[in-house]
């Protein structure tokens, strides 16, 4: 009943039971994993589960040994891939061997799932049976990039909720948290060189309620940001769970919050407030060298905080109307020998890409980047369905697939009228489960450019972690399996495992959407959404990608 479905599971005979004498033993290199496993098992079981180090070079008198009776033994096996693991539960003990520490960690996650769902509670449950059926599991992921994007710009998510979300990702063997840190409606990361980004850009006077143009504001200020210490904590907490945090700093569009603090980096230079309404906004960054320098300064601090090789720089939904109407921008284009505004955006991204690559980082951008030349080594997030994925992989660029029609978890979850603030087309759990990151028309060589995929959680209409729970789960559980598991996917095989998995989410306290529909308190009566039919959505998406160049 594991989720995501492992590669092979072979049932054995008997059971292993956690008792007051059970110990956890691991070589020094796996100390962090051993400590994590103990901390994950202790609250619900109330058992001490002491950890000991298995010395290198084999058994010594009095020292811990592999596979001792009553022991959970962690180990490394160089013949396995870094994220692969082999988990064996026998009456005598448990062994978890991984190709690397990540594989061992995933084996530990599977071990938790073999226990009753109460293992996820934070205190002991009367009468709980901490025995595990004997089993051998061999497992490894299909993709190296198994991600979730969290938009903490539209609605700020307090740090403790981000850490909780990281735990939920880890439970699903997801390994990339893409943090969308800046947008028109808020800037969420402290940048010491530009204090107004937190003083001014990190809060707005109110928020639009509802998805239609003209919807009223709530009259309530909204804000928040992560200090650099908070970011270090989030990154470290994620790293301990084998999750890489990929920061996103949006440019040259989706920058109104930044322009509220530093209007000189805008095209008009006029004072402007942090946006209080959703949508695509015409106020964008100008293309001056000083603006490039500003973003490079910001990225320098970002790179210092995020060890990720990948840095996302947005690039989506940048209207070019202000550039087209601005004599100074025209002059800049002439000076640079550029004739189209689209090429000015490519120029902009190329400057940023060069700054990143000179520092050993790889630029990631939304698929709008493909509307012009793209610097070598750039990774494309293909969101307007799979056109970007096909084009990028064909042109030799690496790809992360996150198509709206299956991976946008802000989209309404059914056709029901009581879905809260329903936007776009329905993305049901079976739709999410059918997510296929590799477009079928690619050759094997092109398909190798697909690093994996991710779910995107845009939070215009999610003003709390509770609402994020409702939109994310269980669709993210389905997507986690699509990104981890190999072989055919059959929803009728998945569904009973999901039913078991929901008990785990219940034990944690995740307020997921039930298959029967939103609970009364999960609805938003009277707040208008912007639902679109599937075909209409498809037509709309097909039109959007016409600018992508083969
Ligand atoms: C996006 O959804 N604008 C990437």
């Amino acid at each position: 009943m594991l989720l995501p479905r492992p590669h092979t599971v072979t049932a054995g005979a008997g059971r292993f039971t956690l008792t007051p004498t059970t110990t956890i033993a691991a070589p020094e290199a796996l100390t962090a994993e051993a400590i994590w496993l103990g901390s994950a098992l202790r609250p619900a079981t109330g058992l001490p589960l002491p950890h000991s180090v298995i010395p290198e070079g084999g058994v010594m008198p009095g020292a811990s040994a592999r596979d001792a009776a009553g022991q959970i033994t962690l180990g490394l096996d160089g013949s396995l891939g870094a994220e692969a693991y082999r988990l064996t539960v026998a009456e005598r003990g448990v062994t978890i061997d991984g190709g690397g520490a990540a594989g061992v960690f995933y084996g530990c996650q599977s071990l938790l799932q073999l226990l009753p769902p109460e293992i996820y509670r934070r205190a002991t449950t009367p009468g709980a049976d901490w025995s595990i059926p004997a089993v051998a599991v061999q497992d490894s992921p299909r993709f190296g990039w198994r991600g979730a994007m969290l938009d903490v710009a539209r609605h700020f998510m307090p740090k403790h909720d981000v850490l909780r979300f990281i735990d939920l990702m880890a439970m699903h063997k997801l390994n990339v948290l893409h943090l969308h840190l800046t947008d028109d409606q808020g800037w969420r990361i402290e940048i010491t060189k530009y204090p107004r980004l937190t003083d001014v850009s990190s809060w707005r006077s109110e928020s639009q309620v509802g998805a239609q143009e003209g919807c009223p504001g709530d009259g309530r200020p909204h804000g928040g940001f992560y200090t650099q210490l908070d970011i270090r904590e989030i990154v470290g907490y994620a790293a301990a769970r084998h999750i890489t945090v990929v920061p996103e700093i949006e440019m040259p569009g989706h920058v109104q919050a930044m322009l509220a603090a530093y209007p000189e980096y805008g095209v008009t230079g006029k004072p402007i407030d942090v946006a209080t309404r959703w949508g695509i906004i015409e106020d964008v960054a100008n293309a001056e060298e000083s603006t490039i320098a500003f973003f490079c300064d910001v990225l320098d601090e970002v790179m210092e905080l995020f060890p990720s090789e990948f840095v996302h720089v947005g690039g989506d939904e940048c209207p070019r109307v202000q550039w087209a109407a601005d004599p100074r921008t025209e002059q800049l284009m002439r000076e640079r020998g550029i004739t189209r505004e689209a090429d000015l955006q490519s120029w902009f991204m190329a400057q940023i890409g060069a700054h990143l690559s000179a520092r050993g980082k790889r630029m990631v951008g939304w698929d709008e980047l493909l509307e012009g030349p793209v610097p070598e080594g750039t990774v494309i997030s293909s969101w307007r369905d799979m056109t970007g994925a096909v084009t990028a992989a064909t042109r030799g660029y690496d790809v992360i697939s996150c198509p709206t029609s299956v991976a946008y978890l802000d989209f309404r979850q059914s056709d029901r009228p009581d879905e809260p603030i329903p936007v776009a087309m329905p993305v049901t759990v079976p739709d999410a489960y059918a997510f296929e990151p590799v477009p079928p028309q690619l050759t094997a060589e092109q398909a190798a450019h697909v690093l994996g995929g991710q779910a995107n959680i845009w939070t215009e209409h999610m003003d709390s972690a509770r609402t994020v729970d409702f939109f994310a789960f269980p669709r993210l559980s389905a997507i986690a399996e699509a990104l981890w598991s190999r072989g055919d996917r059959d929803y009728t095989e998945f569904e009973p495992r999901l039913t078991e998995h929901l008990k785990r989410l219940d034990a944690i306290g995740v307020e997921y959407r039930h298959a029967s529909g939103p609970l009364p308190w999960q609805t938003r009566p009277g707040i208008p959404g912007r639902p679109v039919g599937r075909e209409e959505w498809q037509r709309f998406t097909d039109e959007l990608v016409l600018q992508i160049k083969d």
Side-chain angles (χ1 to χ4, degrees), residues 104-391:
V104 172
F105 181 74
Y106 298 135
C108 293
Q109 290 287 355
S110 290
L111 181 66
L112 255 68
Q113 291 196 1
L114 293 173
L115 283 155
E118 287 71 36
I119 195 66
Y120 292 98
R121 294 190 182 271
R122 304 289 184 94
T124 53
T125 304
D129 168 19
W130 302 123
S131 75
I132 311 164
V135 72
V137 178
Q138 302 236 27
D139 203 6
S140 63
R142 179 176 172 206
F143 293 106
W145 186 297
R146 305 179 301 280
M149 188 216 75
L150 200 52
D151 169 11
V152 293
R154 266 53 174 270
H155 278 101
F156 178 67
M157 186 179 269
K159 186 194 69 183
H160 65 266
D161 290 318
V162 176
L163 301 181
R164 173 180 175 275
F165 188 78
I166 287 169
D167 277 323
L168 291 170
M169 287 181 66
M171 169 191 190
H172 289 87
K173 302 185 174 85
L174 294 166
N175 68 347
V176 179
L177 171 61
H178 166 178
L179 268 189
H180 183 78
L181 286 163
T182 70
D183 215 302
D184 298 303
Q185 297 83 7
W187 182 286
R188 305 288 174 220
I189 176 173
E190 177 189 25
I191 300 295
T192 55
K193 188 161 184 186
Y194 298 97
R196 286 174 61 79
L197 291 173
T198 35
D199 292 348
V200 174
S201 311
S202 72
W203 69 279
R204 58 180 179 264
S205 59
E206 65 169 1
S207 308
Q208 174 182 331
V209 184
Q212 288 179 8
E213 240 175 83
C215 275
D218 62 2
R220 182 181 182 186
H222 176 87
F225 65 91
Y226 308 110
T227 65
Q228 296 206 344
L229 270 180
D230 291 337
I231 292 285
R232 287 191 196 283
E233 182 184 353
I234 290 169
V235 166
Y237 190 87
R241 287 148 184 81
H242 298 278
I243 291 172
T244 300
V245 186
V246 174
E248 181 183 357
I249 304 295
E250 272 272 17
M251 64 191 83
H254 285 293
V255 291
Q256 187 169 327
M258 178 277 277
L259 295 179
Y262 299 100
E264 62 269 36
Y265 301 129
V267 181
T268 68
K270 290 196 188 118
I272 192 168
D273 288 329
V274 177
T276 59
R277 296 297 185 273
W278 317 121
I280 299 175
I281 289 173
E282 290 187 357
D283 287 281
V284 301
N286 66 38
E288 301 283 353
E289 297 286 349
S290 56
T291 302
I292 301 291
F294 162 80
F295 279 114
C296 289
D297 286 345
V298 167
L299 290 170
D300 284 346
E301 293 195 28
V302 165
M303 287 186 277
E304 189 59 36
L305 294 167
F306 294 86
S308 165
E309 178 192 356
F310 302 94
V311 178
H312 207 299
V313 292
D316 60 319
E317 298 177 329
C318 178
R320 299 171 191 129
V321 284
Q322 287 190 343
W323 286 355
D326 179 47
R328 171 64 186 158
T329 305
E330 262 180 38
Q331 182 193 351
L332 285 172
M333 287 170 63
R334 265 196 313 276
E335 284 170 11
R336 294 167 188 162
I338 294 169
T339 53
R340 297 185 325 143
E341 281 77 25
D343 292 333
L344 184 62
Q345 187 173 347
S346 301
W347 176 89
F348 193 113
M349 300 321 270
Q351 308 307 300
I352 298 297
H355 188 77
L356 294 176
S357 65
R359 286 150 188 82
K361 302 287 185 178
R362 290 182 71 186
M363 176 163 79
V364 189
W366 299 108
D367 60 39
E368 281 90 338
L369 264 62
L370 296 166
E371 292 169 14
V374 179
E376 207 183 314
T378 301
V379 182
I380 298 296
S381 302
S382 177
W383 69 281
R384 297 173 300 179
D385 278 343
M386 297 303 270
T387 309
V390 173
T391 309

